[in-house]
Amino acid sequence: MVPVPVARAAAALAEEQWRVATLVRAAGVRDRWDAELDADARWRLVRSGHFVDHSAELDWTPREVVGHLRDSARVFTDRLHRLRTEDDPLLADFVADGPCRLADHRSTPVDVLVDELRAGQAGLLATVAALGPADLERAGRHETDGPVTVADLLGFLPVHQRDHAEQLTALVGR
């Protein structure tokens, strides 16, 4: 039986991933891969979600958001795996706006980014859905943020997707 917190987190994550996928398709259809936020959208987003602490992410184009979500799906899948299988793992910081990372997002063909995003998102959702009751309190240490549990990540993941879905909405339009 799937624990209720896992079922809720998986459902919320799936819903936000669906929103992201829809907006990614719209970016392609509308050829908005290099769109930038206007001042009003930036002002609205900079005061919400994780953008309060990560406002540099609001400089990203839809292509860079896709690259970031691809990378974060991979990173969080790995973190969940390590939290489930290792005793007190040390989790490296994920520097989302590092120059090499952003250069990769800009140089990778958009169709490759989209395919890799799709695979990464599916892997992340499958990892979340496979969590059991004993996994929820499994803990490790993030190298800069300190203690973190599987339950903490389950709370973060759908919100992170939602924040970037809102960003893509502003970049691509509805």
Side-chain angles (χ1 to χ4, degrees):
M1 185 165 145
V2 176
V4 170
V6 171
R8 285 185 181 145
L13 179 60
E15 181 176 336
E16 295 303 333
Q17 286 180 335
W18 178 85
R19 283 183 66 208
V20 165
T22 300
L23 290 159
V24 167
R25 280 190 297 281
V29 167
R30 297 176 185 164
D31 194 25
R32 299 278 298 165
W33 293 116
D34 297 316
E36 297 177 356
L37 288 176
D38 64 34
D40 290 338
R42 176 180 293 278
W43 177 245
R44 182 179 52 81
L45 288 170
V46 77
R47 297 177 299 151
S48 66
H50 81 283
F51 297 124
V52 170
D53 296 319
H54 300 280
S55 62
E57 293 180 8
L58 294 174
D59 293 335
W60 293 347
T61 64
R63 169 193 294 269
E64 291 160 333
V65 174
V66 168
H68 168 67
L69 289 172
R70 172 203 66 182
D71 294 350
S72 67
R74 292 171 174 172
V75 165
F76 284 103
T77 298
D78 178 69
R79 285 181 180 177
L80 287 167
H81 173 75
R82 291 190 60 213
L83 287 167
R84 287 180 76 188
T85 61
E86 298 176 23
D87 291 329
D88 196 31
L90 179 61
L91 307 173
D93 194 22
F94 171 41
V95 181
D97 59 352
C100 291
R101 188 175 298 277
L102 292 175
D104 173 68
H105 300 164
R106 293 175 187 133
S107 65
T108 301
V110 76
D111 58 321
V112 173
L113 281 176
V114 170
D115 286 345
E116 291 174 348
L117 171 63
R118 188 177 301 114
Q121 295 275 54
L124 179 58
L125 184 58
T127 299
V128 167
L131 294 169
D135 295 321
L136 294 174
E137 296 309 316
R138 298 275 307 171
R141 291 172 292 118
H142 184 274
E143 74 177 351
T144 59
D145 297 334
V148 62
T149 66
V150 168
D152 294 334
L153 294 184
L154 291 183
F156 171 79
L157 290 169
V159 172
H160 179 251
Q161 292 278 327
R162 184 200 65 221
D163 289 349
H164 286 295
E166 292 298 319
Q167 180 182 19
L168 285 168
T169 298
L171 287 163
V172 174
R174 290 200 180 260

